[in-house]
Amino acid sequence: MARVRQKNVTAATWKSQNGQSLGAPDLTVEDNNPFGRNVFSSAVQKERLSKDTFKKLQGVLETGEALDAELADEVAEAMKEWALERGATHYTHVFQPLTGLTAEKHDSFFEPDGGGGAVAEFSGKELIQGEPDASSFPTGGVRATFEARGYTAWDPTSPAFILENPNGALFCIPTAFASWTGEALDGKIPLLRSMDALSKSAIGALRILGDREAQRVFTTVGPEQEYFLIDEQYYFERPDLVTTGRTLFGAKPPKGHELDDHYFGSIPERILAYMLETETELRKLGVPVKTRHNEVAPGQYELAPIFENSNVGSDHQQLTMQMMQSVARKYGLVCLLHEKPFAGVNGSGKHNNWSMGTDTGANLMDPGETPADNINFLFFCTAVIQAVNKHQGLLRASIAGIGQDHRLGANEAPPAIISIFLGAELDKVFEAIESGQGDPHTPGSFLELGASVLPPLPMHGGDRNRTSPFAFTGNKFEFRALGSSQSLAFPNTVLNTIVAEAIDELAGKLATKVDGGTELVEAVAEVVKGSYSANKQIIFGGDNYDEAWHAEAEKRGLKNLRTTPDALPEILSEPTIEAFGRYEVLSERELESRYEVWLEQYITNANIEAETAAAIAKTMILPAALRYLALIDDAGTGELATEVRALVDGLVAEIKKLGDANVYPDGIEGLELAKYARDHQVEAMGTVREAADKLESVVADDLWPLPKYSEILFVR
Ligand code: ADP
Ligand code: MG
């Protein structure tokens, strides 16, 4: 299969990134190259562990067997020594509860020795397992019938690291978080399970396709993270930003993102200094950050690391978001990760570049240069198409969230309709396979099914479609609809699971044909043809922002789930429960818990936003407008006073409506309450905002209580 094509990634780093060694970047640490300096990497492990233990640990990681206590003790001892040398005083099990955030439980390395001193304690037991109180984290009912205790378990496939702080250092151990009954209460456990499932399915298919070497298939993720930077002074003057992460009020600035000079424009010095420090800090932690540039909107930027295996990439993404936010404060900035911090201005997303690679260094989403590569590619690519079509609703649900409702389908970001963009060349290949008729761009001999010599597919990955939610981009798929604040764990868990299912189904068909005597190439072509015909309604190369697409998608029978309450029930759909159960990624009960937690989050956040909006309108904006009204009354300017009075009356009426909406009707809960919040609270917030924003352009600037978009958005 084709080697990884990305620049800067050698086969060796690809392998280590894919967990072939320890999942830790295997790079030499040099003083002038901080990469991985604070990581308990495989290089450090090799240096610090006995040969035997190092080998054993690697074996454990490769086969996924349980760790024995003795081994854990030695690893823990080495970790402790390394961490103490680096000034760590505490260790913490870092985990990802269902809030989507990162949680930590800090413990001191030092225990009182009884004689007034302290000794450093950290054994294998403490390494392997922690015991936070699960009752402080959402569990969607899983906890209710059992004990409130949860446990965290060391994930040896994601490297431990040291987080520096001006007053010390913290040794962080990536962990999984489960209930005592073994139910996953986090994002990591299902992600790991889904990676296992996909590997098993893909290896099975590869065997039928004639690959005898590969032992493991890793899914990979390379996220492109968009974010805003604003001056912290403005941030703290805006209770809406502080409380909800987005501005609930604010008229569109006269100078908006139509100003092209921001995109790829030069970066102000303070911003650049911030970026450089963030990148350095992340490199120390082994996060392979790479690109930086301005995004479409003013004040908006992007950061993208080189891809890694899904588990490590997902952990690193959490760390990245955390670091982006903490470093910003050093520069008097606040990093906004909300999906839509400013209405009328481009929102922030996260492109989830996803692929599958073998432990022998092949990228299964790379068309490649040899006939065998092409067959494999077509097979796996078809599996992705089938999976996305079958589980389009679940994919939509996997990126749902209150912030996303301002973005998806709002004619700027990918729509709420999931579709796939393949690009003109790949379209042609699939169409030719389906029709059995070639064209000048598709090699004729490939279409003569059964031909034993196939020329390479002419794939350049050239054309792009910025509006597609799920696009093939040359050697990977880009799931472009993630929200900027989102954890990568669930969307990738979904992708891995549904693709595993599709691979198995197609591999089953392939095996039947091959066993029946059909030649492999012909069998693949037949399987591809059948699946493509059945699923091609999901392929769309046009403008996803176009209103006409909504009508067309409906005709095709595609789902258009516009809001979070529309999307979340997909988590409990029959095909979801079936696939997640079969691959043992999430049980029905675990799926239910996620549905409940995320629904609850939507309701809670909608309510916080609506109450914050009501408070700001009532106690900040209305008083300012009234002051201004008094001022113009004094000046006797009749016409202006009439206009302002009308606007004030409008605002008062809307405040009343919002206040009413903020009182829940009796007896509703769950999905019904979420829909109530959407249809009444979110709706009323929008209209109160409209009334307030009209006043913003009339009321004297020195009386206006909130910093305006035109001030906030242009950091210098
Ligand atoms: P684009 O313009 O295509 O979005 P970028 O260079 O901004 O290009 O982003 C590409 C992203 O895709 C990077 O994060 C990169 O690491 C990631 N990527 C490249 N190859 C793979 C792969 N095989 N699997 C997952 N992600 C990948
Ligand atoms: Mg991209």
Side-chain angles (χ1 to χ4, degrees):
M1 285 295 289
R3 293 281 142 184
V4 180
R5 276 188 189 156
Q6 183 159 5
K7 270 186 276 169
N8 305 331
V9 179
T10 62
T13 55
W14 159 267
K15 279 190 182 179
S16 71
Q17 281 168 3
N18 280 284
Q20 231 222 352
S21 54
L22 289 172
D26 195 7
L27 294 160
T28 36
V29 180
E30 293 160 26
D31 284 342
N32 59 353
N33 171 18
F35 192 84
R37 185 189 289 167
N38 288 347
V39 181
F40 192 72
S41 63
S42 51
V44 177
Q45 289 164 16
K46 199 167 181 179
E47 199 185 292
R48 303 244 167 182
L49 296 172
S50 68
K51 236 190 194 151
D52 213 37
T53 304
F54 178 67
K55 242 181 146 174
K56 249 201 238 162
L57 181 58
Q58 278 200 312
V60 165
L61 297 181
E62 271 158 31
T63 55
E65 285 163 28
L67 285 159
D68 66 61
E70 216 174 293
L71 185 74
D73 273 337
E74 193 186 326
V75 176
E77 186 59 30
M79 280 178 164
K80 184 186 76 188
E81 265 169 27
W82 179 77
L84 289 175
E85 275 169 32
R86 272 148 196 275
T89 50
H90 289 69
Y91 65 90
T92 172
H93 285 202
V94 181
F95 55 103
Q96 300 162 29
L98 298 179
T99 53
L101 304 171
T102 303
E104 299 164 356
K105 179 174 180 274
H106 296 203
D107 286 294
S108 174
F109 273 124
F110 298 97
E111 289 182 4
D113 63 4
V119 288
E121 285 294 345
F122 183 64
S123 68
K125 205 177 98 234
E126 274 116 0
L127 165 63
I128 291 183
Q129 198 161 300
E131 209 189 305
D133 181 359
S135 62
S136 23
F137 300 102
T139 58
V142 162
R143 194 191 67 237
T145 45
F146 294 93
E147 288 184 83
R149 279 186 303 167
Y151 71 90
T152 53
W154 177 37
D155 170 16
T157 61
S158 185
F161 56 92
I162 285 180
L163 213 49
E164 291 172 345
N165 177 286
N167 295 332
L170 185 63
F171 182 59
C172 301
I173 305 157
T175 52
F177 181 43
S179 73
W180 274 106
T181 42
E183 266 116 354
L185 296 177
D186 70 350
K188 183 187 272 286
I189 296 174
L191 179 60
L192 287 168
R193 290 174 183 161
S194 75
M195 289 170 72
D196 280 347
L198 184 130
S199 180
K200 220 180 275 168
S201 301
I203 291 292
L206 281 170
R207 292 288 178 270
I208 304 170
L209 290 162
D211 182 323
R212 314 243 141 262
E213 273 179 53
Q215 297 299 326
R216 171 104 193 159
V217 169
F218 293 93
T219 51
T220 49
V221 66
E224 298 163 63
Q225 171 76 54
E226 292 179 339
Y227 61 101
F228 279 87
L229 286 175
I230 66 168
D231 218 296
E232 71 179 0
Q233 178 197 335
Y234 295 133
Y235 177 81
F236 287 113
E237 285 172 18
R238 300 227 28 160
D240 47 0
L241 275 178
V242 173
T243 313
T244 72
R246 74 178 180 107
T247 56
L248 301 172
F249 298 95
K252 201 176 177 233
K255 194 176 164 194
H257 61 281
E258 39 303 322
L259 240 99
D260 295 334
D261 62 352
H262 181 76
Y263 194 53
F264 286 113
S266 70
I267 299 173
E269 192 173 281
R270 175 155 62 125
I271 305 288
L272 190 59
Y274 159 78
M275 289 175 168
L276 289 171
E277 178 163 347
T278 306
E279 289 174 15
T280 305
E281 288 307 314
L282 286 169
R283 290 211 178 94
K284 284 188 200 165
L285 299 174
V287 182
V289 285
K290 190 187 65 149
T291 58
R292 102 175 63 95
H293 58 73
N294 290 358
E295 264 304 320
V296 186
Q300 192 184 30
Y301 306 92
E302 180 184 295
L303 184 135
I306 293 172
F307 65 93
E308 301 176 278
N309 85 52
S310 304
N311 180 37
V312 176
S314 166
D315 282 357
H316 278 169
Q317 176 65 16
Q318 294 297 105
L319 210 50
T320 300
M321 291 194 284
Q322 199 181 324
M323 199 54 85
M324 285 168 74
Q325 288 176 307
S326 66
V327 175
R329 300 301 305 282
K330 291 198 200 171
Y331 293 88
L333 298 164
V334 171
C335 170
L336 302 178
L337 293 176
H338 194 282
E339 282 74 22
K340 192 74 176 175
F342 306 100
V345 176
N346 220 65
S348 297
K350 177 142 56 193
H351 294 177
N352 186 107
N353 293 276
W354 176 94
S355 189
M356 305 177 259
T358 65
D359 57 352
T360 48
N363 176 357
L364 299 176
M365 290 290 103
D366 194 328
E369 271 126 38
T370 69
D373 288 352
N374 292 339
I375 297 176
N376 285 9
F377 167 74
L378 281 173
F379 176 85
F380 288 107
C381 184
T382 303
V384 175
I385 295 170
Q386 176 170 312
V388 171
N389 185 42
K390 178 172 178 189
H391 294 282
Q392 48 182 281
L394 176 61
L395 277 168
R396 167 64 183 92
S398 78
I399 49 153
I402 193 159
Q404 288 277 73
D405 287 4
H406 302 286
R407 220 168 72 86
L408 298 177
N411 283 351
E412 65 153 51
I417 307 161
I418 299 291
S419 67
I420 299 178
F421 170 78
L422 289 178
E425 290 180 334
L426 201 47
D427 273 344
K428 263 188 218 141
V429 171
F430 276 107
E431 272 155 32
I433 293 173
E434 191 190 23
S435 66
Q437 265 152 37
D439 66 32
H441 299 284
T442 314
S445 51
F446 180 74
L447 301 161
E448 291 154 26
L449 305 177
S452 55
V453 182
L454 303 175
L457 292 179
M459 216 74 66
H460 309 301
D463 50 343
R464 288 285 166 110
N465 181 329
R466 283 186 60 93
T467 69
S468 174
F470 202 95
F472 180 69
T473 47
N475 57 2
K476 61 192 186 301
F477 274 97
E478 197 172 328
F479 189 13
R480 305 176 70 248
L482 273 75
S484 48
S485 68
Q486 238 196 308
S487 149
L488 298 177
F490 192 60
N492 286 283
T493 301
V494 168
L495 270 172
N496 297 346
T497 309
I498 66 179
V499 172
E501 179 194 52
I503 289 173
D504 274 347
E505 201 199 302
L506 296 182
K509 289 188 175 152
L510 189 62
T512 309
K513 286 184 196 289
V514 171
D515 291 348
T518 312
E519 210 212 318
L520 179 66
V521 175
E522 192 177 334
V524 170
E526 283 174 20
V527 167
V528 166
K529 179 178 170 172
S531 174
Y532 177 76
S533 295
N535 293 290
K536 66 180 179 186
Q537 61 271 23
I538 197 77
I539 314 268
F540 178 62
D543 181 358
N544 285 257
Y545 301 173
D546 196 342
E547 224 13 78
W549 170 230
H550 287 247
E552 162 75 14
E554 197 180 331
K555 245 192 266 159
R556 293 186 185 195
L558 301 182
K559 294 190 173 176
N560 186 356
L561 306 168
R562 290 173 189 260
T563 64
T564 301
D566 295 325
L568 287 181
E570 295 286 331
I571 292 173
L572 297 179
S573 75
E574 218 170 283
T576 306
I577 292 171
E578 220 276 308
F580 276 67
R582 169 142 34 109
Y583 290 94
E584 296 180 342
V585 173
L586 287 168
S587 66
E588 188 168 352
R589 187 177 156 77
E590 288 170 321
L591 284 168
E592 269 166 13
S593 73
R594 275 144 190 84
Y595 168 76
E596 303 224 324
V597 169
W598 293 334
L599 198 62
E600 187 63 40
Q601 254 171 15
Y602 177 85
I603 295 165
T604 307
N605 286 324
N607 191 52
I608 291 173
E609 286 192 359
E611 300 219 336
T612 307
I616 292 174
K618 227 188 291 182
T619 65
M620 295 176 80
I621 295 175
L622 183 60
L626 290 173
R627 258 178 234 137
Y628 182 56
L629 199 56
L631 201 70
I632 40 184
D633 271 345
D634 285 351
T637 33
E639 216 171 286
L640 181 60
T642 313
E643 184 197 339
V644 176
R645 191 163 293 118
L647 292 177
V648 167
D649 288 346
L651 179 64
V652 170
E654 294 302 340
I655 290 174
K656 166 91 178 70
K657 264 196 240 162
L658 179 56
D660 292 345
N662 285 349
V663 181
Y664 290 160
D666 285 342
I668 61 168
E669 53 175 27
L671 188 59
E672 215 192 327
L673 183 53
K675 286 185 175 163
Y676 170 85
R678 176 192 66 191
D679 298 339
H680 295 88
Q681 293 185 288
V682 176
E683 177 68 25
M685 253 192 288
T687 48
V688 90
R689 171 185 197 136
E690 254 172 59
D693 290 357
K694 278 188 203 144
L695 278 160
E696 187 187 304
S697 57
V698 183
V699 170
D701 190 64
D702 63 335
L703 292 180
W704 196 253
L706 299 168
K708 296 177 178 178
Y709 278 18
S710 52
E711 299 167 282
I712 304 173
L713 280 169
F714 297 92
V715 182
R716 290 282 171 260

